[in-house]
Amino acid sequence: MTDYQDLLQTIKSLQHSRLSYIELLQEEVKRSQDRPSEKIKADEDSDDSSRPATSAHHVSAPNSLFTVPYSIPQTLAVSPSLGGQPVSPELAVSLRSILFGNTFHIFNYEWKKSFFKFREPFSDTSYALETERGGASAIQMVVQAHIIKSLLFNQPGNSACTMQSLLEVGEKEQRRALAASLADILWTAGEEQTATVSLVTSERCFTPHLDYKLDSFTERLQLFTFKKKEDVRSFICEHIQCFKEEGSHGIILFLYSLVFSRTIDRIRADFDCTTTHLLHLSLGNFVCRQALLNLLLTGRASPHVFNGTSLNDEKDQPLAHPLHGVLTRSHVGYLFWNREQVKHAQLPLVGSMLKTPRLPIWVCNINGTYSVLFSPNRSLLSDWKMEHLFQLYFYNGQPTQLNTTVLTIDTHSHHWEAENKDIQGDLEKKFPSVEMTIRTKWEGAVIDWNGTVPFF
């Protein structure tokens, strides 16, 4: 708290001179550099130990209000002696730039408080994460899809893939499934050669420069790089509390790990002329661009959802620069629906690489909110006869959903098309967006909610 009190005193003393914001920052940086490093460390320790992990604190002063950053508890910080590589100031600047496009933006409170939180063990949703409404929900839901993959399709031996497998998940199985899922995503991003895990230590690795905004935890990163997938999984499992405990900044740490696993240079090569960074500001919150979603799903930060590389525009005219789409079929797929984009005929068509994944699991982006559709029947994507009449399970991550929703999909009768052939322009008004999303994969399908109130 001493830093903030000092800053308040500086502001009061400079009010009459009306110095610019940059001059004020320069004054504060100079004062920080003059302060012994031992005192900085003592101030940080004192501040972290006195601040609850579950909330931000405010220091009030006349005409001023400052918010102390949401802090990681000391119990979730690893020892610097663990052996990782301390983050350098140059790497921290590059990380900030590839995420935000500049070095002055930092994650807000909604992001900092987000972590991987499971539902109650051995409950009807014991396999499920409870997600946020903000920008972190996209990352949580992709990880959720991988958790379902791990619990349904990665079981030892010839275990049958049934929904019962998702209802018998204890706390130990939750931790293992989360560790396996995070490791899978990082290993794929590292092209199945390496993966890097980012954790926070108790000590700052560098002193920020004037053009870098302090956030209290990025400056304390230690990077742990592995060349075997099993080593990645074991390390994450050993330190799983750093991703699943309240106050851990678990979503941000996993995002940092994803960027470092892919490497910043490869992410820049994945981009095209339409994208320069992974997050964008929308309605006051940072949300994931398509490039970040594709990085999570496929291991490559391609900015578009179509297959391959596009050399021509919609009128078949050569583009000045090629556009990068999805090159490989991933284990988890992606479906997209947005009412506003449909109204303006701007709905992007998801290519078959994402629409038809290796396993029957799809992350759904529906009007900007994220959910997951899945089936325990692996044959659904390999036997066309299975697609005549089948069930999908739907989960949106919100606390209000107490049970997994079961949907029956009928693609064979075609009576949905017959009943609605005269109102094609008003379909988005008449039918739930979840149904319209499913029909981007199974056109004309009839969807029965089996007594559940539909999610619009």
Side-chain angles (χ1 to χ4, degrees), residues 356-383:
T356 308
R358 297 180 189 177
L359 295 171
I361 309 171
W362 294 265
V363 173
C364 301
N365 181 350
I366 306 175
N367 300 319
T369 63
Y370 292 87
S371 52
V372 63
L373 281 167
F374 63 98
S375 168
N377 184 5
R378 188 191 293 260
S379 300
L380 183 61
L381 297 175
S382 59
D383 186 349

Side-chain angles (χ1 to χ4, degrees), residues 225-411:
T225 299
F226 303 92
K227 295 186 177 181
K228 292 182 179 179
K229 183 179 179 180
E230 182 55 32
D231 292 342
V232 184
R233 189 202 62 77
S234 297
F235 183 81
I236 294 176
C237 197
E238 183 179 351
H239 299 281
I240 197 65
Q241 73 276 6
C242 297
F243 299 96
K244 69 179 292 291
E245 294 295 327
E246 187 172 10
S248 65
H249 293 45
I251 304 300
I252 299 176
L253 288 180
F254 174 62
L255 177 54
Y256 284 177
S257 302
L258 180 69
V259 170
F260 291 135
S261 293
R262 182 61 183 162
T263 75
I264 292 172
D265 286 342
R266 282 197 295 219
I267 290 175
R268 287 178 176 146
D270 292 340
F271 289 162
D272 57 29
C273 61
T274 66
T275 302
T276 59
H277 48 283
L278 294 169
L279 300 169
H280 72 96
L281 195 61
S282 175
L283 300 176
N285 195 12
F286 288 103
V287 298
C288 299
R289 291 180 181 271
Q290 190 63 49
L292 178 50
L293 288 172
N294 286 349
L295 177 57
L296 288 159
L297 290 166
T298 72
R300 182 173 178 269
S302 51
H304 303 282
V305 294
F306 52 70
N307 291 351
T309 300
S310 179
L311 303 176
N312 299 315
D313 61 19
E314 294 176 353
K315 297 180 180 179
D316 206 29
Q317 296 299 310
L319 293 166
H321 302 282
L323 301 180
H324 298 166
V326 178
L327 300 180
T328 58
R329 197 178 306 279
S330 57
H331 284 96
V332 173
Y334 177 75
L335 300 176
F336 180 82
W337 175 265
N338 186 283
R339 288 182 188 273
E340 290 302 314
Q341 288 182 266
V342 168
K343 289 179 182 177
H344 298 92
Q346 296 175 341
L347 191 72
L349 297 178
V350 178
S352 61
M353 292 294 186
L354 289 174
K355 197 180 290 186
T356 308
R358 297 180 189 177
L359 295 171
I361 309 171
W362 294 265
V363 173
C364 301
N365 181 350
I366 306 175
N367 300 319
T369 63
Y370 292 87
S371 52
V372 63
L373 281 167
F374 63 98
S375 168
N377 184 5
R378 188 191 293 260
S379 300
L380 183 61
L381 297 175
S382 59
D383 186 349
W384 61 271
K385 291 178 289 186
M386 293 289 181
E387 292 186 292
H388 286 173
L389 186 67
F390 59 96
Q391 287 185 330
L392 287 179
Y393 296 84
F394 176 78
Y395 178 69
N396 66 10
Q398 297 306 307
T400 53
Q401 186 177 356
L402 302 180
N403 298 284
T404 307
T405 301
V406 183
L407 305 173
T408 300
I409 315 298
D410 182 353
T411 65

